[in-house]
């Protein structure tokens, strides 16, 4: 089995994903090849959604993407069972797995993408490098002929696969499955995103409408934890001019916040070069609402008004005054979620509503 490193993208901001292309070119058929064999080959290409070149490209994407991430994945090699820390063995234990919480659909190993299952799995990656029973297992599959990237993080009750919320993983698999290089279109890895953001930040802070860094309100700086009803944890880290969002499977993305020149007009048809350069840029603006100082985040080429606002206030949490980060949305700046300074506080107060806040 082969150890690779993987990771993933940013909440409410564009994540660009890059993979390693590695497009394979089939050898040109010789003049002596029969028309019958050509028809068989053509038919095979049309009816088999997955093959070795695509599998190699998926692995190349993962390897390149993994270089900046802190997770270590093992790939199922098609021969030796892939075992997780919960003693689940793939592909054998697909027979006991759920999909979307249901046992009424089937999932199983079918390396060509065509098989007898509702979800025909063509590639499996697993990471056990977490404390306790935590793990992440990706199953890349075809459902009704369409590619679906599934993920399982269940720690009890057996595997339960859901379509991944990681846009980077999902989009890369879609592109490769559809015969397009993972680098095509508007995709890039979070590593490349961070690299481009850093190089832009240090080269010229007044080009393309920028007017230097935007300084986040000091009260908002730090690491904050948000937990949804399913106990899924999202971590938001705010520094003096950057905002990084990390979801539970380790995928993360960073946006650099700038001031915008007052006379700058967003191009109606921005060039590909500008789209690539600005993919990690956002405009930041500070304002006060109901006595709370917020800052807004708007993607650099976004023409509509910003909808994401971050502000800090102090609330009574477990009987103690505690600073919390508010994520608000909409024209009326209504609170959508509350972030806490520790993951445990966030989990303990997932259902807490503060009377003095205007919720969405």
């Amino acid at each position: 089995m082969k150890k690779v490193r993987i990771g993933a993208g940013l909440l409410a901001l564009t994540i660009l994903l890059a993979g390693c292309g590695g497009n394979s070119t089939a050898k040109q058929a010789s003049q002596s090849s029969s028309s019958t064999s050509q028809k068989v080959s053509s038919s095979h290409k049309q009816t088999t959604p997955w093959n070795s070149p695509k599998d190699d490209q998926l692995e190349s994407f993962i390897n390149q993407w993994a270089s900046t991430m802190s997770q270590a994945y093992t790939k199922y090699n098609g021969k030796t069972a892939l075992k997780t820390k919960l003693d689940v063995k793939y592909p054998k234990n697909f027979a006991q797995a759920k999909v979307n919480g249901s046992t009424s659909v089937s999932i199983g190993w079918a390396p060509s993408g065509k098989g007898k299952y509702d979800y025909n799995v063509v590639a499996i990656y697993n990471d056990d490098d977490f404390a306790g029973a935590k793990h992440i297992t990706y199953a890349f599959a075809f459902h009704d002929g369409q590619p679906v990237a599934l993920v399982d993080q269940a720690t009890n009750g057996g595997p339960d696969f859901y379509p991944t919320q990681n846009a980077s993983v999902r989009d890369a698999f879609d592109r490769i499955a559809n015969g397009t290089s993972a680098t095509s279109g508007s995709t890039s890895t979070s590593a490349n995103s961070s690299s481009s953001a850093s190089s832009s930040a240090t080269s010229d802070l007044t080009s393309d409408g920028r007017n230097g860094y935007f300084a986040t309100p000091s009260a908002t700086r730090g690491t904050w934890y948000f937990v949804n009803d399913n106990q899924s944890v999202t971590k938001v880290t705010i520094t003096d001019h950057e905002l990084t969002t990390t979801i539970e499977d380790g995928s993360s993305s960073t946006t650099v916040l700038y001031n915008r020149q007052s006379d700058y007009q967003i191009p109606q048809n921005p060039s590909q070069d500008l789209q690539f350069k600005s993919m990690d840029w956002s405009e930041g603006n500070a304002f006060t609402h109901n006595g709370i100082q917020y800052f807004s985040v708007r993607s650099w080429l976004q023409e509509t008004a910003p909808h994401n606002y971050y502000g800090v206030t102090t609330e009574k949490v477990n009987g103690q005054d505690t600073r919390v980060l508010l994520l608000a949305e909409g024209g009326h700046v209504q609170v959508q979620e509350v972030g806490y300074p520790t993951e445990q506080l966030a989990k303990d107060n997932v259902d807490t509503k503060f009377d003095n806040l205007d919720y969405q």
Side-chain angles (χ1 to χ4, degrees):
M1 297 184 190
K2 187 181 300 182
K3 276 283 188 180
V4 296
R5 303 181 66 78
I6 187 173
L10 172 66
L11 182 66
L13 293 168
T14 302
I15 302 174
L16 294 183
L17 168 179
C20 181
N23 284 338
S24 297
T25 304
K27 291 184 179 180
Q28 186 177 14
S30 65
Q31 294 181 350
S32 61
S33 298
S34 68
S35 60
T36 300
S37 64
Q38 290 175 353
K39 290 179 181 179
V40 171
S41 176
S42 175
S43 173
H44 178 72
K45 290 179 181 178
Q46 292 173 2
T47 59
T48 303
W50 197 250
N51 54 33
S52 181
K54 289 182 179 181
D55 192 64
D56 291 343
Q57 190 179 355
L58 177 61
E59 185 173 354
S60 294
F61 155 70
I62 289 173
N63 281 325
Q64 181 175 349
W65 187 27
S67 61
T68 61
M69 308 306 290
S70 58
Q71 296 177 342
Y73 279 69
T74 300
K75 177 187 177 183
Y76 174 55
N77 61 13
K79 299 178 181 178
T80 306
L82 179 61
K83 183 179 178 180
T84 76
K85 65 165 57 175
L86 299 179
D87 201 32
V88 176
K89 299 180 180 67
Y90 293 106
K92 176 182 177 181
N93 288 138
F94 277 132
Q96 288 79 44
K98 299 176 183 178
V99 179
N100 294 318
S102 173
T103 57
S104 63
V105 295
S106 60
I107 181 172
W109 179 248
S112 70
K114 289 184 68 68
K116 61 183 180 180
Y117 308 101
D118 295 309
Y119 289 84
N120 296 290
V121 179
V122 297
I124 315 168
Y125 290 86
N126 178 71
D127 180 15
D128 281 340
D129 293 350
F130 300 95
K134 285 188 175 182
H135 69 100
I136 302 174
T137 305
Y138 281 104
F140 297 93
F142 285 84
H143 175 59
D144 292 333
Q146 299 301 312
V148 182
L150 301 169
V151 66
D152 165 59
Q153 294 179 264
T155 56
N156 56 62
D160 193 355
F161 286 93
Y162 288 84
T164 180
Q165 296 181 6
N166 186 314
S168 299
V169 174
R170 181 189 65 229
D171 293 347
F173 183 51
D174 283 349
R175 289 183 177 278
I176 295 170
N178 290 319
T180 308
S181 169
T183 57
S184 298
S186 57
T187 54
S188 174
T189 63
S190 57
N192 287 342
S193 298
S194 300
S195 175
S196 65
S198 299
S199 62
S200 299
T202 57
S203 59
D204 184 358
L205 300 180
T206 59
S207 66
D208 300 305
R210 291 178 295 171
N211 188 23
Y213 290 126
F214 167 77
T216 59
S218 58
T220 65
R221 298 173 190 172
T223 298
W224 308 89
Y225 297 87
F226 295 82
V227 177
N228 63 20
D229 293 338
N230 295 324
Q231 293 292 303
S232 178
V233 180
T234 298
K235 182 172 68 174
V236 174
T237 301
I238 301 172
T239 62
D240 51 356
H241 59 261
E242 293 185 355
L243 186 150
T244 299
T245 300
T246 306
I247 61 177
E248 195 165 57
D249 70 357
S251 306
S252 66
S253 187
T254 297
T255 189
V256 183
L257 299 166
Y258 296 99
N259 296 308
R260 191 186 297 274
Q261 294 174 6
S262 59
D263 59 348
Y264 180 72
Q265 297 294 319
I266 298 174
Q268 290 188 348
N269 297 298
S271 66
Q272 289 187 350
D273 178 64
L274 178 57
Q275 291 180 54
F276 180 78
K277 285 195 302 182
S278 65
M279 64 187 181
D280 299 302
W281 303 354
S282 289
E283 177 187 8
N285 278 297
F287 65 96
T288 301
H289 179 75
N290 289 342
I292 300 172
Q293 187 175 18
Y294 287 89
F295 71 92
S296 63
V297 177
R298 177 170 67 165
S299 297
W300 197 250
L301 298 179
Q302 177 185 341
E303 296 185 10
T304 58
H307 294 285
N308 296 324
Y309 314 103
Y310 297 88
V312 166
T313 188
T314 299
E315 301 288 348
K316 283 285 187 184
V317 180
N318 299 339
Q320 297 185 345
D321 288 339
T322 304
R323 291 196 314 150
V324 295
L325 179 70
L326 309 179
L327 171 58
E329 291 187 351
H332 298 290
V333 194
Q334 293 177 303
V335 176
Q336 183 188 31
E337 297 182 61
V338 176
Y340 295 82
T342 70
E343 182 176 338
Q344 191 59 53
L345 272 179
K347 289 181 176 180
D348 291 344
N349 292 277
V350 65
D351 296 320
T352 299
K353 297 286 186 181
F354 299 103
D355 294 337
N356 62 319
L357 298 180
D358 181 18
Y359 287 90
Q360 190 177 47

